[in-house]
Amino acid sequence: MQKNSLFNFDYSYLSLPDKFYSFVKPQVFPKPEVFIFNQLLGDSLNLNNGIQDDFLSLISNKASDTFEKCFAQAYAGHQFGNFTKLGDGRAIILGEHLTLEGNRFDIQLKGSGRTPYSRGGDGKATLKAMLREYLVSEAMYYLNVPTSRSLAVFKTGDTVYRETAQEGAALVRVMKSHIRVGTFEYAAYFGSVNDLKALCDYTVKRHYPQLMEDQNCALSLLREVMKNQIDLVVNWMRVGFIHGVMNTDNTSISAETFDYGPCAFMNVYHPATVYSSIDQNGRYSFGNQARIIKWNVARFAEALFPILHDNKDKSLEIAQSVINEFDAIWEEKYFVMMLKKIGIETNDLLNRSLLIELLNIIQKLKLDYSNTFSSLSKALLTDDDSFNNSEFTAWLLKWKAAVNKSDGVENALKLMREVNPIVIPRNHKVEEALDEAVNGNLLLFNKLLSVISKPYQAQNDIRDYMEPPEFDFDLNYQTFCGT
């Protein structure tokens, strides 16, 4: 245990074989400056009030001998379906902070310089990319979607070259852990059976201790991770979130959303919606996210083959039996959640058909995804048809009858208000805020952050944040990885 004025650090990950990590010190930055700090998160982690000054010390020359146990993680992954050896190319874990309640969180520095896994990269990050991650990860937290959190963004004083020369920055990311499907792939492809077993045992102890006494711990872990990944992606679908780069190295075993590079929120509903500049074939489109998480879980199962059973054929049989459960579990969880969006708890075929009919109408009429669901609460209380479409009007009549047949209007309103956000971080508002922020004006950034921190509450003067962008903006909008 290492205590300092900042964190209460432990390093349990270093109990794993040393092939899983490399010790790396953060780059010493020429002119570090804290740009934004998440005080509410800091308070929840029991961090002291002088933390901003301590951060500056950490990343300045005065701290060159501090945090001797910082490390970058080794892992592999399937990126757009292609397997490759990877690792933290521009991030290091400073340590695992233990809160007063005994909760453990990785404190990671992203954009901290080159590591043994940089593969020719510069190990740096831009201010705009790190502010995007800060903004969107906090939005996801307040949308009640499991996610990494952002503690701080600081300017490094470096110039970082991407499409253009940009101001450099680093992000302090907080996460239950950074163990990924790709970590298990790395163990399976480049380690021994004992390495894989050590990783499995460590992961279960850290994240799923209730499984420790199970007869086949690896099998139980596979099933638990699959269920939690389904829950996570169902939540993405609920709020219209598109991750944009669902590689196996971005699929966390703790089922937290992380790595907010080419992410975006869908405006006009269409399952094929893609914003990522690198997703040319729509592999990670909005409507394909269920299929991809199933594919990623299958890769996790393959990585576990050597410890699922001594016999390879038996391992395949066991793993396949779990993967075969995916579709039924997904269908159940997806419809339970999506039916809540229309205020119905009874998950039967009739109500599922009603939901599917609504989604088809929304797609046909090119309606905004979030606003449509949010507006249903008003439509349930009045006869005013603001949609002004005969097909939609006919659907509304059937829906109101189904609501009354289910648990009534009051319960429907409660359900809808819990799961349908009034505001989301609209892509055009995010870009506006980021463009102003990198030019030194945080007014729009802080305003947007304030609005999206209360996504389910009625707020004054937020109409501008509820409106989707012009069609041309959405048609041409692209997001980027930032590396």
Side-chain angles (χ1 to χ4, degrees), residues 95-128:
E96 301 156 16
H97 175 65
L98 297 177
T99 67
L100 295 177
E101 299 79 19
N103 296 316
R104 182 183 300 267
F105 296 96
D106 280 358
I107 308 296
Q108 187 192 69
L109 199 58
K110 183 175 179 180
S112 53
R114 300 192 78 248
T115 77
Y117 314 113
S118 294
R119 298 184 298 162
D122 60 14
K124 299 178 180 180
T126 67
L127 178 59
K128 185 172 183 178

Side-chain angles (χ1 to χ4, degrees), residues 90 110 125-134 153 169-171:
R90 57 170 180 165
K110 183 175 179 180
T126 67
L127 178 59
K128 185 172 183 178
M130 296 302 92
L131 287 175
R132 177 188 296 277
E133 177 152 346
Y134 185 105
V153 173
L171 173 83

Side-chain angles (χ1 to χ4, degrees), residues 369-378 420-422 466:
Y369 184 75
S370 296
N371 285 349
T372 299
F373 281 103
S374 180
S375 297
L376 288 178
S377 296
K378 179 182 176 182
N420 292 328
I422 297 171
M466 295 169 60

Side-chain angles (χ1 to χ4, degrees), residues 359-464:
L359 291 173
N360 289 336
I361 293 171
I362 297 174
Q363 181 177 340
K364 178 180 177 181
L365 299 181
K366 296 183 172 60
L367 297 179
D368 183 81
Y369 184 75
S370 296
N371 285 349
T372 299
F373 281 103
S374 180
S375 297
L376 288 178
S377 296
K378 179 182 176 182
L380 194 58
L381 294 172
T382 70
D383 292 327
D384 175 38
D385 179 17
S386 56
F387 299 103
N388 195 27
N389 176 271
S390 59
E391 192 173 358
F392 213 130
T393 301
W395 181 88
L396 285 171
L397 291 174
K398 287 188 286 185
W399 169 60
K400 289 179 181 181
V403 166
N404 287 316
K405 185 179 178 181
S406 184
D407 292 302
V409 171
E410 186 175 338
N411 187 65
L413 290 172
K414 180 178 180 294
L415 288 174
M416 290 189 288
R417 287 166 180 166
E418 288 175 350
V419 300
N420 292 328
I422 297 171
V423 288
I424 58 170
R426 299 280 181 181
N427 302 325
H428 64 300
K429 303 302 287 186
V430 169
E431 294 300 329
E432 288 176 4
L434 294 178
D435 287 342
E436 287 290 310
V438 297
N439 288 320
N441 182 2
L442 277 168
L443 187 64
L444 289 180
F445 186 93
N446 288 332
K447 174 62 176 176
L448 179 57
L449 194 60
S450 175
V451 169
I452 62 178
S453 68
K454 300 180 283 289
Y456 302 101
Q457 298 177 26
Q459 304 176 60
N460 295 325
D461 302 322
I462 62 167
R463 173 58 56 183
D464 190 41

Side-chain angles (χ1 to χ4, degrees), residues 92-305:
I92 60 173
I93 292 176
L94 302 179
E96 301 156 16
H97 175 65
L98 297 177
T99 67
L100 295 177
E101 299 79 19
N103 296 316
R104 182 183 300 267
F105 296 96
D106 280 358
I107 308 296
Q108 187 192 69
L109 199 58
K110 183 175 179 180
S112 53
R114 300 192 78 248
T115 77
Y117 314 113
S118 294
R119 298 184 298 162
D122 60 14
K124 299 178 180 180
T126 67
L127 178 59
K128 185 172 183 178
M130 296 302 92
L131 287 175
R132 177 188 296 277
E133 177 152 346
Y134 185 105
L135 187 65
V136 180
S137 63
E138 287 304 290
M140 292 287 274
Y141 171 77
Y142 289 109
L143 285 165
N144 300 324
V145 179
T147 180
S148 62
R149 301 286 304 278
S150 297
L151 182 62
V153 173
F154 60 82
K155 296 194 290 186
T156 61
D158 284 332
T159 299
V160 177
Y161 296 92
R162 294 297 182 258
E163 295 83 10
T164 59
Q166 300 182 49
E167 195 166 7
L171 173 83
V172 182
R173 182 158 72 188
V174 180
M175 200 167 170
K176 290 179 182 177
S177 90
H178 287 79
I179 303 170
R180 317 142 191 264
V181 168
T183 314
F184 280 82
E185 290 183 294
Y186 175 83
Y189 280 85
F190 303 108
S192 66
V193 172
N194 286 337
D195 293 330
L196 182 61
K197 189 176 187 307
L199 177 62
C200 182
D201 290 345
Y202 172 80
T203 301
V204 168
K205 183 178 180 181
R206 180 164 178 177
H207 291 300
Y208 301 99
Q210 72 275 17
L211 307 179
M212 290 176 64
E213 302 302 320
D214 287 10
Q215 186 174 2
N216 189 331
C217 215
L219 175 60
S220 298
L221 178 63
L222 171 60
R223 183 171 279 113
E224 198 73 13
V225 167
M226 182 177 75
K227 290 178 180 178
N228 288 341
Q229 288 296 336
I230 289 173
D231 285 334
L232 178 63
V233 178
V234 163
N235 262 307
W236 292 358
M237 306 300 282
R238 173 177 66 85
V239 299
F241 177 75
I242 306 169
H243 187 279
V245 61
M246 288 177 67
N247 299 327
T248 56
D249 55 292
N250 292 332
T251 304
S252 70
I253 297 300
S254 57
E256 297 168 274
T257 315
F258 78 115
D259 203 352
Y260 290 93
C263 67
F265 282 80
M266 181 174 59
N267 293 299
V268 173
Y269 173 69
H270 198 294
T273 301
V274 173
Y275 294 112
S276 171
S277 63
I278 58 175
D279 192 2
Q280 299 295 323
N281 298 314
R283 177 181 174 87
Y284 300 142
S285 65
F286 177 74
N288 211 33
Q289 292 180 130
R291 188 181 73 83
I292 290 300
I293 202 60
K294 179 181 180 180
W295 194 90
N296 288 357
V297 171
R299 304 292 77 73
F300 181 46
E302 287 176 354
L304 292 173
F305 274 4

